[in-house]
Each structure stands twice: as C-alpha cells, then as structure tokens.
Amino acid sequence: MIAGTRAGGATSLRAIAGELNARGMQTRRGGRWHVSNTGNLLERLGCLSARGNGIRL
C-alpha cells in the first residue's frame, strides 16, 4: 500500500498520510493518519532512514 501510494506521487510523509486517509485506511487503533504515525510506521517497516533523511521504498 505504501509503495503504491509513493509510486502514485505521494513523496512526503504528509502526502502519504493524506493518501492513506483518502483511501479510508485506519491506523491500528482505528484513527486517522498523521505525519507522526506515518513516520513511525515507515521506520518500523525500514522504509525511512534516520528520521527526516528521506524515504526508501
């Protein structure tokens, strides 16, 4: 889902969060996506190098 979102042009954490929300995806706790929890997810997946140094997908 994240790779497809990025391939579709969402290149920032804010854009990825917005796209996840637009697609109706909820967080693990049933909430909306924000920059902070999107960044946390990408860090856990190994897609985000040391916070703020770019997204690797």
Side-chain angles (χ1 to χ4, degrees):
M1 177 69 73
I2 299 292
T5 300
R6 178 122 160 86
T11 57
S12 68
L13 293 176
R14 184 174 311 282
I16 292 170
E19 186 61 29
L20 290 172
N21 288 322
R23 292 182 183 196
M25 299 295 298
Q26 295 182 333
T27 64
R28 180 172 49 127
R29 294 183 172 178
R32 293 182 49 81
W33 290 96
H34 302 280
V35 171
S36 59
N37 55 8
T38 302
N40 291 339
L41 172 67
L42 293 178
E43 280 184 9
R44 284 193 303 273
L45 294 175
C47 298
L48 189 65
S49 57
R51 181 69 88 161
N53 286 341
I55 300 171
R56 296 187 313 254
L57 293 177

